[in-house]
Amino acid sequence: LLFPAALRTAAAAATISFSLLAGNAAAVAAVEQPSEICRGQDDGREVEVKAEAVTNEQLVEEAWEVVNEGFLPDAGSRPWSPELWMQRKQDILQGSIKSRSRAHDIITKMLASLGDPYTRFLSSSDFSKMSKYDMTGIGLNLREIPDDNGSLRLVVLGLILDGPAHSAGVRQGDELLSVNGIDIRGKSAFDVSSMLQGPKETFVTIKVKHDSCGPVESMKVQRQMAARTPIFYRLEKRDNENSSVGYIHIKEFNAVAKKDLVSALKRLQNSGASYFVLDLRDNLGGLVQAGIEIAKLFLNKGDTVIYTTGRDRQVQNTIVADSGPLVTTPVMVLVNNRTASASEIVASALHDNCKAVLVGERTFGK
């Protein structure tokens, strides 16, 4: 859909922060046109001018068109073709759509038929919440999973290592049952994120069910809104060698990751580090742009960090390093099966440009 520039920027900033909820398929967000506010020239009073209304049928058709133009099926999605998708549109738009909520429901079911968990619909209210909130304020990502009765369960999809929720005992795969005593069954991930948010250093009480059939536990979690450094480093002397190793563990990619990594690299280099070990194990990702900027620190000018391509293989968007590397000493990158998303961008960019050796296990595969 054609978003105004401000909404487009907000959408991009919000979407990349949901590290494990973004994918290579089309992410569909339909936003109803807001009212415009203009100021009268005569007396300075604000006059509200209503934007042109979008009918329910037009809204459904716009969502259909986004998929038709940009959806890229992969091995995980159901069979898809332009012909099948056109038939879907004709079936849906045979009759009139009486309400906006009915239009939203039709779009949601239409996208669910793709079988792709990363293609989803956001109503205008959900979109506003996604623009406002980065995460939950306690360091976890939630995913909506329908149960056998058609209701929604909220399951922890990702955690910030040593973040507030992780430190309190929440683990990936846990089901969130209540927030401050309020049953959250049937609520969206966006609604519950709003409930979890609050002033820094205040507490929120959550009830979780560990795994699918584990015990239920209530826990008090302290909110931590300020970005904490995800960079931990040390200098290690090698036995029987005249060399030192600069070990750096990146727990996640947040707003301060690049700044703190630059500081760590410089300090370790000044302390005599002969080579670096970059530990990305259990790093589930975070801000994609932070991962891209960190990869650039190790690459030569013009090296490819990442490129994106769609159905038209002749059209691709390539991001390259715009300056030389901060360090030129050898680098080893540690990875495991929980190295995901932005972490995989960094690992693959360094590996494919012959800037690092990868050691460990096959990564998550985002």
Side-chain angles (χ1 to χ4, degrees), residues 39-106:
R39 187 173 294 279
Q41 294 181 346
D42 52 349
D43 57 3
R45 289 180 301 171
E46 289 185 346
V47 181
E48 184 173 319
V49 180
K50 292 290 184 182
E52 183 179 353
V54 176
T55 67
N56 297 324
E57 290 78 11
Q58 286 173 329
L59 188 63
V60 171
E61 191 165 0
E62 285 182 11
W64 178 91
E65 190 64 39
V66 171
V67 175
N68 190 55
E69 291 181 356
F71 182 69
L72 181 63
D74 62 18
S77 57
R78 295 168 187 161
W80 186 92
S81 69
E83 293 76 21
L84 288 172
W85 195 239
M86 177 60 74
Q87 183 61 51
R88 183 92 186 168
K89 174 185 174 181
Q90 292 171 353
D91 293 342
I92 289 172
L93 295 178
Q94 280 182 348
S96 62
I97 302 172
K98 300 297 185 182
S99 67
R100 189 50 56 101
S101 62
R102 175 61 180 156
H104 291 179
D105 186 51
I106 289 172

Side-chain angles (χ1 to χ4, degrees), residues 322-352:
D322 42 23
S323 61
L326 179 65
V327 295
T328 55
T329 47
V331 179
M332 180 186 298
V333 179
L334 305 183
V335 296
N336 65 4
N337 60 6
R338 284 167 56 80
T339 299
S341 195
S343 294
E344 291 175 301
I345 291 175
V346 173
S348 58
L350 270 59
H351 173 269
D352 291 355

Side-chain angles (χ1 to χ4, degrees), residues 96-284:
S96 62
I97 302 172
K98 300 297 185 182
S99 67
R100 189 50 56 101
S101 62
R102 175 61 180 156
H104 291 179
D105 186 51
I106 289 172
I107 295 172
T108 299
K109 291 179 179 178
M110 177 177 69
L111 300 183
S113 71
L114 297 170
D116 177 25
Y118 304 113
T119 301
R120 57 184 180 164
F121 170 74
L122 302 180
S123 66
S124 56
S125 60
D126 283 347
F127 181 81
S128 298
K129 294 171 186 175
M130 189 174 183
S131 301
K132 181 178 179 182
Y133 297 123
D134 179 14
M135 288 178 67
T136 58
I138 60 173
L140 56 79
N141 281 333
L142 297 171
R143 178 176 178 180
E144 301 168 4
I145 297 180
D147 61 19
D148 296 336
N149 300 320
S151 300
L152 290 179
R153 296 188 303 121
L154 291 183
V155 174
V156 176
L157 181 66
L159 280 162
I160 295 177
L161 195 63
D162 295 333
H166 182 265
S167 298
V170 180
R171 293 296 177 262
Q172 188 158 326
D174 288 356
E175 180 184 353
L176 188 61
L177 302 177
S178 69
V179 176
N180 286 331
I182 300 174
D183 189 335
I184 54 89
R185 281 179 297 182
K187 294 184 181 295
S188 71
F190 300 101
D191 289 335
V192 176
S193 293
S194 302
M195 296 168 66
L196 291 169
Q197 285 277 350
K200 179 183 176 181
E201 296 183 353
T202 59
F203 288 88
V204 59
T205 301
I206 62 174
K207 182 184 290 184
V208 300
K209 181 180 181 182
H210 297 297
D211 298 319
S212 58
C213 53
V216 173
E217 181 182 0
S218 291
M219 53 189 72
K220 200 173 181 181
V221 184
Q222 187 175 34
R223 297 179 175 104
Q224 181 65 51
M225 294 294 291
R228 296 190 296 180
T229 182
I231 308 296
F232 299 88
Y233 63 96
R234 63 179 181 267
L235 187 71
E236 292 187 1
K237 298 286 186 180
R238 304 299 295 166
D239 295 337
N240 303 320
E241 294 182 21
N242 293 322
S243 62
S244 299
V245 183
Y247 171 83
I248 304 174
H249 183 195
I250 306 179
K251 291 187 174 183
E252 63 160 333
F253 293 95
N254 65 12
V256 299
K258 179 188 176 183
K259 174 179 68 70
D260 291 353
L261 178 60
V262 168
S263 176
L265 288 169
K266 289 180 177 178
R267 289 185 179 182
L268 290 170
Q269 204 165 33
N270 292 337
S271 298
S274 302
Y275 60 96
F276 293 98
V277 173
L278 200 62
D279 193 346
L280 298 180
R281 292 174 298 180
D282 297 317
N283 185 327
L284 296 173

